[in-house]
């Protein structure tokens, strides 16, 4: 499993900063904190907005973003659908709305005997007769609402990384390499991403080089035109003198 992080600054090339390669059982959300720290070390700047897939959303990562210079953890989409609207109110109140039917329930807060697990419940037609919701469900819903309220240009910034992953795995078969050890996979990932960075910098510099050449040709054309006018005037003066 390969995780790629890149910059998305306006007016600058998108450069891949850290590249992380782990086994397939490694969870996506575990990549985030190390990727942020490595990116800040490479770019020598503080990350203010981080655009990541919904799989990178987790309570630990949200807490990390909060204490890490109040970094904004944004994403264009969270995996899975949303069946319930969970609207907290007052201190312990929770309004639950089933999106498909529009039915509204006022959830009741319940606490386990040990007092270490707080949940809300609504009457439901199942074995227990109740449908339970926890704090993490409420936080997931609020995060989803925040993501959906982002402008489209903010949501589309995530697509840059999708394009990078396509370029990275373009020469593989079904997204798999021919290597059989973690070290070889890492060497392949590093070399491939270095080549991608080189290509991006070259493509970014070509228009700038062309503009500088055109800007240089302008004064040269003016100087050549001035010399040509002087030459014509000198020829006319020579004809009159003869």
């Amino acid at each position: 499993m390969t995780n790629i992080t890149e910059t998305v600054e306006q007016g600058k090339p998108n450069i891949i900063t850290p590249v992380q390669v782990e086994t397939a059982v490694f969870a996506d959300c575990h990549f985030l904190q190390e990727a942020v720290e490595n990116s800040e070390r490479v770019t020598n700047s503080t990350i203010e907005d981080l655009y990541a897939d919904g799989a990178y959303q987790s309570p630990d990562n949200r807490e990390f973003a909060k204490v890490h210079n109040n970094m904004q953890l944004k994403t264009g989409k969270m995996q899975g659908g949303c069946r319930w609207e969970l609207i907290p109110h007052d201190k312990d109140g929770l309004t639950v709305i089933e999106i498909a039917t529009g039915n509204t329930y006022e959830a009741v807060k319940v606490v386990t005997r040990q007092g270490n697990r707080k949940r809300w419940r609504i009457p439901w037609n199942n074995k227990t007769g109740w449908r339970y919701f926890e704090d993490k469900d409420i936080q997931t819903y609020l995060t989803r609402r925040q993501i959906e309220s982002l402008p489209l240009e903010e949501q589309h910034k995530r697509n840059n990384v999708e394009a990078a992953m396509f370029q990275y795995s373009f020469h593989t078969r079904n997204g798999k390499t021919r290597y059989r050890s973690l070290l070889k996979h890492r060497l392949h990932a590093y070399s491939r991403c270095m080549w991608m960075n080189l290509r991006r910098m070259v493509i970014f510099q070509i228009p700038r080089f062309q503009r500088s050449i055109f800007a240089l040709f302008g004064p040269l054309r003016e100087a050549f035109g001035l010399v040509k006018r002087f030459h014509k005037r000198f020829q006319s003066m020579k004809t009159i003198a003869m």
Side-chain angles (χ1 to χ4, degrees), residues 225-236:
L226 184 61
V227 171
K228 193 173 182 180
R229 287 196 298 270
F230 273 119
H231 179 70
K232 288 183 177 179
R233 181 172 297 181
F234 177 76
Q235 289 292 338
S236 62

Side-chain angles (χ1 to χ4, degrees), residues 69-88:
N69 301 315
N70 199 23
M71 180 181 64
Q72 299 298 314
L73 181 56
K74 301 178 180 180
T75 180
K77 182 179 179 181
M78 290 188 69
Q79 296 179 349
C82 185
R83 182 179 180 182
W84 309 92
E85 289 188 24
L86 306 177
I87 306 172

Side-chain angles (χ1 to χ4, degrees), residues 109-119 132:
K109 189 172 184 179
V110 293
V111 183
T112 58
R113 294 181 179 180
Q114 293 78 11
N116 56 1
R117 187 180 183 186
K118 299 178 182 179
R119 299 186 296 177
Y132 290 91

Side-chain angles (χ1 to χ4, degrees), residues 5 26 60-61 74 82 93 129-130 176 179 194 200 212 215:
T5 306
F26 205 79
D60 290 340
N61 287 341
K74 301 178 180 180
C82 185
W130 302 98
K176 298 180 181 179
Y179 308 111
M194 283 191 291
R200 291 181 180 188
S212 62

